[in-house]
Amino acid sequence: MPVMTAGPVAAMHNVHKDDKTAAATAATTTLSTPALPAIPPPSSLRIMPAFSEEMDALRWNTVLQLFQRSHQNQHIETFNTHTKHHQPTKMVNGLMVYYKMDANEFILQERFDLQGRLVDPIRDVGVCIDEKNWKDYLGMGAAYYKPYAEFFLRLLLKDASSNDAIKKTATDVLKAYLPTLLVGGFTGTSIYHPMIHLSNGILTGHAYIMAQGLAYFAYSSTPVVKELAPMPTDEQDQASIIEIMQDAREEETFEQLSSHLKADFQSRMKRIYNSPPFLNPIIEIASQWHIGSNEKAIDDAAKELTSAVAVAATTTGHVFPHRQLDFLLNHVLIATPHLWTLMPYLEMKDQQALLRRFLITFLACYVCQGRPMSHPEQLAEAYITPSENDEDPFDNLSTSPPLSTSPTGSLVAPCTPSARHREWQRLCGAPIHLGDDLHAIEAAMACKAAEDRWGDHGGAWMRCAKVVRASESWDVQGVGWGVATSFALEEEE
């Protein structure tokens, strides 16, 4: 099976380490902000509708101004003083979440100011990247953000005469460069963040954000698996993702990770990627997944993958002394709808490869966090269904399912389209405030996106979202390791 050994991967991380020094000593600079056509509000992305078209335009204009300021002056990563890791800035994604929930322009500005104090400045390493040398600097680290962003922005704005022209050019750029970038796009400390960032650019049609996402893919590239093994053709050699997760639970090699529990999950993920005894079983187990070669098969595979991620993220948490969900597994859930955004720009074989690489990284996260046992039956605790109680459900709250009394969302499962619409608005954060937990809101939004794409599935997607919003804190140690570790949002911020 063609797999990169630990040596090259370790060397790649050493380059990142050396390059952080280069980035720190390079001169501070800015990115160019070439003029763009007026970008209309992406109103279809809203979960909370605007009061009027005028208010929608006003708030979107505020977002565009902040996008420009961020693009010109701020790096796509920030240094976390608590974890001592560089992590993705939540500037663009945060602004998009607040826009979807109809935050006013004052809250948008406050969010920008709050996050802006933490973001690294852009630095210049004196390199010009073009079509001939763009592969030479892949995976060379954050110091190369500026030249990569400038390179991709030049490509995207080859014809900037209109938004339609930019979208047409963007389609060509994505088809040309994504297959290479995705090979190393889901590793390192960034994991799924380049995909999330690029997806936001595609969904809004904003060239700045697309260029940033492509640059993020490029400088953080770490191709652990350069070439995927052929998919099994014999049905006896194939396995569903749930079966694959069970195989991972039964693999005794992964128990050795317990000696690294004092390390944060970023360090454990690097340990997995740099160690063939951990990495090779993950790749071998994941290779049992078979994806058909037609549009329906691809969509079915995306649904199976999203469902497995949702169950792992929402039904594996601690319930005592208070409910905690796994921080890393919920990051994977947040990324799932952005996966679908990229797929139309890929050929069938590359769509299959994207899904398989996403699965490998999800499985690595699952192993990193202790391979927790899923409990789908917990989803039944999210709501009282009308058939469960013929009397008024408020008469005896002591016998209600535990999560149904969460302050976020309804007590009783909504039955009508209008009630479901209002419930989704509550679960996704309405009314949104500056200090809200964006990770929980984004996880709920991912569940809503799944329902929008594949139907309500008996209310399962909404129940997953309710479980996320009913949880009191995050566990970063790994819920599968059995020790609850409360983690306050401000520590991650």
Side-chain angles (χ1 to χ4, degrees):
M1 185 175 298
V3 179
M4 278 186 68
T5 60
V9 178
M12 190 77 72
H13 286 302
N14 287 336
V15 171
H16 280 257
K17 183 178 179 180
D18 296 339
D19 233 42
K20 287 176 182 176
T21 303
T25 58
T28 301
T29 186
T30 60
L31 273 171
S32 60
T33 53
L36 300 176
I39 302 173
S43 304
S44 62
L45 300 179
R46 279 182 169 274
I47 296 172
M48 192 74 180
F51 178 74
S52 65
E53 291 184 3
E54 291 77 13
M55 293 304 300
D56 190 15
L58 176 63
R59 286 165 185 178
W60 179 242
N61 186 57
T62 300
V63 172
L64 291 177
Q65 293 176 17
L66 298 176
F67 277 174
Q68 178 162 334
R69 287 172 57 189
S70 176
H71 176 77
Q72 184 175 15
N73 299 301
Q74 297 172 340
H75 200 282
I76 204 167
E77 286 191 346
T78 181
F79 184 72
N80 188 316
T81 57
H82 298 277
T83 65
K84 308 305 179 185
H85 283 285
H86 280 77
Q87 67 181 40
T89 169
K90 293 181 280 293
M91 181 70 73
V92 168
N93 204 37
L95 290 174
M96 285 304 301
V97 169
Y98 278 94
Y99 169 76
K100 291 176 185 178
M101 297 310 299
D102 198 37
N104 64 46
E105 54 272 27
F106 303 106
I107 292 180
L108 292 168
Q109 181 67 58
E110 287 185 44
R111 175 70 191 184
F112 181 89
D113 294 340
L114 174 66
Q115 186 69 33
R117 294 197 298 268
L118 308 174
V119 180
D120 294 340
I122 298 172
R123 300 186 182 275
D124 192 352
V125 290
V127 171
C128 181
I129 292 177
D130 55 32
E131 289 91 337
K132 295 181 180 179
N133 68 0
W134 78 277
K135 292 184 180 180
D136 297 346
Y137 300 96
L138 291 176
M140 293 288 282
Y144 290 85
Y145 168 63
K146 179 179 186 288
Y148 267 120
E150 291 178 332
F151 166 60
F152 286 116
L153 191 58
R154 288 196 303 271
L155 293 178
L156 291 166
L157 296 183
K158 185 177 181 180
D159 180 359
S161 58
S162 67
N163 286 311
D164 288 340
I166 292 176
K167 288 180 181 178
K168 184 178 183 302
T169 303
T171 297
D172 295 337
V173 171
L174 292 169
K175 288 182 176 179
Y177 289 89
L178 264 184
T180 298
L181 294 174
L182 290 172
V183 171
F186 298 139
T187 51
T189 57
S190 59
I191 310 181
Y192 295 113
H193 283 276
M195 181 177 66
I196 295 172
H197 204 99
L198 177 57
S199 171
N200 279 320
I202 294 171
L203 292 171
T204 59
H206 203 303
Y208 293 172
I209 311 305
M210 285 188 275
Q212 293 166 14
L214 289 166
Y216 201 174
F217 262 121
Y219 81 69
S220 64
S221 176
T222 311
V224 175
V225 187
K226 282 189 173 179
E227 185 177 347
L228 295 166
M231 287 185 289
T233 56
D234 191 329
E235 289 188 5
Q236 292 185 345
D237 297 328
Q238 299 171 12
S240 68
I241 296 179
I242 296 300
E243 292 170 333
I244 286 171
M245 293 171 67
Q246 182 58 34
D247 287 347
R249 286 184 54 79
E250 296 173 359
E251 176 58 57
E252 295 181 359
T253 303
F254 300 143
E255 290 295 332
Q256 299 174 31
L257 271 175
S258 61
S259 61
H260 300 279
L261 287 185
K262 292 183 179 180
D264 51 64
F265 68 78
Q266 291 100 328
S267 298
R268 285 204 305 277
M269 288 293 289
K270 284 185 179 181
R271 176 70 177 177
I272 290 172
Y273 287 136
N274 283 321
S275 303
F278 294 140
L279 177 62
N280 290 348
I282 290 174
I283 296 171
E284 183 176 357
I285 292 169
S287 68
Q288 300 174 88
W289 194 34
H290 179 82
I291 306 172
S293 300
N294 57 68
E295 289 185 8
K296 184 180 184 307
I298 293 290
D299 191 62
D300 288 344
K303 180 180 179 181
E304 180 188 359
L305 179 57
T306 303
S307 299
V309 170
V311 169
T314 62
T315 72
T316 59
H318 304 294
V319 295
F320 182 83
H322 56 271
R323 184 169 293 274
Q324 288 182 316
L325 292 182
D326 192 280
F327 190 66
L328 182 56
L329 294 179
N330 272 272
H331 267 67
V332 186
L333 174 59
I334 290 168
T336 52
H338 301 282
L339 169 73
W340 320 329
T341 305
L342 270 57
M343 290 176 64
Y345 300 93
L346 301 170
E347 295 181 1
M348 188 73 65
K349 63 180 179 62
D350 293 321
Q351 291 182 15
Q352 293 171 317
L354 173 58
L355 290 168
R356 296 177 70 196
R357 291 184 185 281
F358 194 104
L359 173 61
I360 289 172
T361 309
F362 164 51
L363 208 58
C365 294
Y366 183 67
V367 169
C368 173
Q369 300 302 88
R371 300 164 294 158
M373 177 73 76
S374 300
H375 296 281
E377 68 277 2
Q378 291 182 2
L379 296 178
E381 300 177 356
Y383 292 103
I384 296 174
T385 57
S387 59
E388 288 176 357
N389 192 341
D390 295 330
E391 301 176 359
D392 187 339
F394 291 93
D395 286 346
N396 191 358
L397 294 180
S398 63
T399 60
S400 300
L403 296 179
S404 65
T405 56
S406 164
T408 303
S410 301
L411 178 69
V412 179
C415 299
T416 66
S418 59
R420 292 185 63 80
H421 184 67
R422 291 192 299 271
E423 180 70 355
W424 273 121
Q425 291 178 347
R426 288 190 288 267
L427 293 177
C428 293
I432 197 164
H433 302 93
L434 184 63
D436 287 348
D437 184 345
L438 289 191
H439 294 103
I441 291 173
E442 288 178 273
M445 286 181 173
C447 295
K448 183 183 185 302
E451 179 172 298
D452 292 343
R453 185 180 179 97
W454 292 301
D456 65 6
H457 201 58
W461 299 115
M462 183 173 283
R463 289 176 180 272
C464 287
K466 178 73 176 294
V467 171
V468 172
R469 298 311 309 275
S471 297
E472 300 175 60
S473 60
W474 298 111
D475 183 308
V476 293
Q477 186 75 21
V479 294
W481 298 115
V483 179
T485 56
S486 182
F487 186 71
L489 176 64
E490 58 268 21
E491 292 180 328
E492 174 61 16
E493 294 280 0

